[in-house]
Amino acid sequence: MKLAKDFPILEAELEYATPRSESNVNKLCRLTGTAPPVAVGTSGVKGDDFRQLAPLHPFSLLSPFTWVARRPVKKKMEPCSCDTFVALPPATIDNRIIFGKNSDRPCDEVQEVVYFPAAVHDNLKEHLKCTYIEIDQVPETYAVVLSRPAWLWGAEMGANEHGVCIGNEAVWGREKVCDEEALLGMDLVRLGLERGDTAEKALNVIVDLLEKYGQGGNCSEGRMVFSYHNSFLIADRNEAWILETAGKYWAAEKVEEGVRNISNQLSITTKIDREHPDMRNYAKQRGWWDGKKEFDFAATYSYLDTAKMMISPGRYCEGYKLLNKHKGNITFETMVEILRDKPSGINMEGEFLTTASMVSILPQDSKLPCIHFFTGTPDPERSVFKPFIFVPNISQLLNTSSPTFELEDSVGKKLQFNSKPDRRHPLYQKHQQALEILDNKTEKAKTMLDNMRKLEKELFKEMESVLQNKHLQVDKIVNLLHQCTEDEIRIYKSNVSS
């Protein structure tokens, strides 16, 4: 079993923060055998206590970072990472598209599952407040279900009422990361879902907003400042799109069959179906592309040797192998098992760990409902995937909604907390207590895990029945996710108190 700490990272220096230097690159070469040339302005992490010297090699196993401590205390930080997958017929069975994502975030960050109904916005003069900036509102937004870090406006992953799913990844490359507050990649996930009723329309929403408002800002709550570019996997009932960005520049690849995954590296090479109009000219101006050889987005905008991309050790390659292992027979249960895989590093442990997971079934038959499964808790191997289906009058998801805190004063100035607010929702709290038992590997732990698997198996069977019988009990579906979390909490309570 691989932990995040098992992957190559550099040890913190016992000095004050300094710009990236050649010596840091030499250390990287010694530890990983590969490194980008020294470049200015590629850092994405700063802060009062730590500063990232460089996104050292975005394509080593887990995109390691070097951190420098201001205080004489050694500290290692595991890298941020995520993995998003999609499988389309003929790789799947029953003419379904299967979407899945693990969200890997700081281990103390709570992720909530929340629902927002569709809405009509009559007063378009009122701006929409995202995590950091305000943007223009649109006349209508669609209903969405989101899995998101509880401190921000956007989302790591989610779905809308039209069967569109989006997950994003942190990526780095040659283009400088913007620390100034703009739209987070996670904001763009939510905006794409709220405004796009197909995968390609959601892509249009994201690239238009990227051009108008840019991307940037702190992607972590607290004193550490952590920023990055973004890639997105966007899927609907018919197709999927990979969208990868570098600042305002982007490339997109259409996926109509088979399997595809993204991780913390650029992965679009020469198959580019859509692109920013100035993407190639900008690369020529920066000296990254000579304008003669075939344009390769990942190779041009990052330090990746794309010829070795599918054989290099790393989560991108490991994820691709897992998808291909099951190609032709992929079900939503298969995707759940991929997200639970620890030897590959897909299910991460350490200071950065898998804090939440999502799997969606998108039937190509429009008469069938899309079904979305969320954990709302860390470590999918020791969590329950619970279903959600869009129907009118959805009950509020109280067990997976975090408490809210006033983040601004009366004049709009951000409040500073001396410590992180307690954002644990009811399910998260009980799950944390359950993990203490599961860690002990006692007979009680085995009984509890068996009960969790039994509940999940029953839910999977019930959802498969919905798809096979083409019948929805709407009065039951309204409370589906809420009732599932109640059942899960009951398992935790009975074992914690006994």
Side-chain angles (χ1 to χ4, degrees):
M1 179 174 67
K2 294 181 182 178
L3 303 179
K5 66 182 180 181
D6 296 322
F7 301 118
I9 61 173
L10 300 184
E11 199 146 324
E13 303 289 342
L14 302 182
E15 300 172 358
Y16 287 97
T18 58
R20 182 182 178 193
S21 66
E22 182 66 35
S23 62
N24 294 318
V25 175
N26 290 337
K27 290 177 187 177
L28 174 67
C29 293
R30 186 178 72 251
L31 288 173
T32 68
T34 56
V38 177
V40 177
T42 54
S43 65
V45 179
K46 293 189 275 187
D48 292 337
D49 294 319
F50 304 99
R51 178 175 179 180
Q52 178 199 3
L53 297 183
L56 299 173
H57 193 304
F59 315 112
S60 60
L61 200 53
L62 281 174
S63 303
F65 305 109
T66 301
W67 303 84
V68 175
R70 287 186 179 274
R71 301 191 184 104
V73 177
K74 283 192 176 184
K75 184 174 181 67
K76 282 187 177 183
M77 289 294 292
E78 278 82 9
C80 177
S81 54
C82 294
D83 295 276
T84 310
F85 305 86
V86 69
L88 304 88
T92 61
I93 63 171
D94 294 330
N95 292 315
R96 300 171 184 174
I97 292 178
I98 308 296
F99 171 95
K101 179 181 175 180
N102 271 354
S103 172
D104 303 329
R105 300 279 302 171
C107 61
D108 62 344
E109 183 179 82
V110 178
Q111 198 150 148
E112 61 178 353
V113 180
V114 290
Y115 167 77
F116 295 98
V120 174
H121 308 281
D122 295 323
N123 186 4
L124 297 182
K125 292 182 180 180
E126 288 187 5
H127 282 188
L128 172 66
K129 180 69 168 70
C130 300
T131 301
Y132 295 122
I133 67 169
E134 293 185 354
I135 68 171
D136 293 336
Q137 184 56 281
V138 293
E140 179 185 9
T141 50
Y142 304 125
V144 296
V145 59
L146 309 172
S147 184
R148 67 177 188 178
W151 62 272
L152 53 73
W153 182 86
E156 274 278 295
M157 52 200 171
N160 71 20
E161 61 181 299
H162 296 286
V164 179
C165 296
I166 307 179
N168 82 311
E169 309 281 333
V171 292
W172 296 265
R174 299 177 190 270
E175 180 68 3
K176 180 180 178 181
V177 171
C178 178
D179 293 330
E180 294 180 7
E181 292 182 349
L183 287 173
L184 296 181
M186 292 174 280
D187 292 338
L188 291 167
V189 168
R190 178 172 173 179
L191 289 163
L193 291 171
E194 288 188 338
R195 301 180 180 194
D197 60 2
T198 68
E200 188 167 11
K201 286 181 182 178
L203 184 151
N204 292 338
V205 168
I206 292 173
V207 299
D208 288 347
L209 291 169
L210 189 63
E211 182 72 21
K212 186 172 183 178
Y213 298 102
Q215 60 178 321
N218 188 7
C219 299
S220 174
E221 182 180 32
R223 298 170 70 186
M224 182 183 75
V225 179
F226 178 43
S227 54
Y228 45 76
H229 304 301
N230 289 269
S231 65
F232 305 86
L233 198 162
I234 313 168
D236 61 23
R237 292 177 182 268
N238 301 305
E239 63 189 24
W241 284 84
I242 308 300
L243 169 63
E244 297 183 340
T245 72
K248 72 174 185 177
Y249 301 100
W250 56 271
E253 175 189 339
K254 188 176 184 179
V255 184
E256 296 180 277
E257 63 177 16
V259 297
R260 188 67 159 84
N261 62 303
I262 58 173
S263 193
N264 298 108
Q265 63 177 65
L266 299 181
S267 63
I268 295 175
T269 56
T270 57
K271 185 185 182 301
I272 302 173
D273 295 299
R274 293 183 55 185
E275 63 187 74
H276 187 285
D278 293 326
M279 178 191 71
R280 299 182 192 227
N281 285 336
Y282 182 73
K284 284 178 68 175
Q285 292 170 11
R286 296 299 304 270
W288 301 337
W289 180 54
D290 61 10
K292 298 177 182 178
K293 65 182 179 181
E294 185 178 22
F295 188 85
D296 181 322
F297 179 72
T300 302
Y301 273 83
S302 70
Y303 305 100
L304 179 66
D305 181 353
T306 55
K308 299 178 180 178
M309 187 166 67
M310 300 314 301
I311 59 173
S312 301
R315 288 180 356 275
Y316 174 75
C317 187
E318 292 299 315
Y320 182 78
K321 288 177 184 176
L322 288 169
L323 284 173
N324 275 276
K325 178 181 176 181
H326 302 283
K327 199 171 181 179
N329 296 288
I330 295 175
T331 65
F332 68 95
E333 293 99 331
T334 309
M335 190 65 76
V336 167
E337 291 311 308
I338 289 174
L339 298 186
R340 283 176 167 157
D341 193 87
K342 288 189 176 178
S344 64
I346 300 299
N347 182 7
M348 184 177 283
E349 296 177 292
E351 289 191 44
F352 273 78
L353 56 77
T354 300
T355 54
S357 303
M358 170 186 173
V359 170
S360 293
I361 308 170
L362 310 175
Q364 292 191 315
D365 183 350
S366 61
K367 298 184 184 69
L368 297 176
C370 296
I371 304 177
H372 313 282
F373 297 85
F374 296 91
T375 61
T377 53
D379 189 353
E381 188 181 40
R382 300 187 294 177
S383 294
V384 176
F385 282 81
K386 301 164 287 290
F388 175 96
I389 299 175
F390 283 93
V391 293
N393 304 314
I394 292 283
S395 296
Q396 285 301 311
L397 309 179
L398 300 178
N399 287 329
T400 58
S401 296
S402 296
T404 57
F405 298 87
E406 188 64 44
L407 300 180
E408 296 180 348
D409 60 21
S410 58
V411 294
K413 185 178 180 180
K414 288 178 183 158
L415 299 174
Q416 298 295 322
F417 294 102
N418 291 326
S419 60
K420 288 184 180 180
D422 184 356
R423 300 186 185 278
R424 296 174 301 162
H425 50 72
L427 176 63
Y428 188 97
Q429 292 181 33
K430 294 302 178 185
H431 183 262
Q432 290 296 294
Q433 294 173 7
L435 287 181
E436 294 179 10
I437 296 174
L438 291 173
D439 285 338
N440 293 329
K441 302 185 184 301
T442 60
E443 188 62 31
K444 181 189 284 189
K446 182 180 182 304
T447 299
M448 181 164 60
L449 192 57
D450 287 345
N451 289 335
M452 292 165 64
R453 288 290 177 270
K454 182 181 177 182
L455 170 62
E456 184 180 80
K457 188 175 181 180
E458 291 172 351
L459 293 171
F460 286 2
K461 184 178 179 181
E462 185 179 348
M463 293 303 102
E464 185 60 43
S465 177
V466 167
L467 293 171
Q468 294 294 338
N469 298 329
K470 302 182 180 181
H471 177 67
L472 270 183
Q473 291 180 279
V474 176
D475 57 338
K476 185 177 181 181
I477 298 301
V478 164
N479 299 298
L480 179 60
L481 183 55
H482 177 75
Q483 185 57 54
C484 293
T485 56
E486 287 284 307
D487 294 340
E488 184 181 358
I489 288 172
R490 224 176 342 261
I491 293 173
Y492 300 149
K493 282 183 175 179
S494 65
N495 286 274
V496 170
S497 60
S498 61

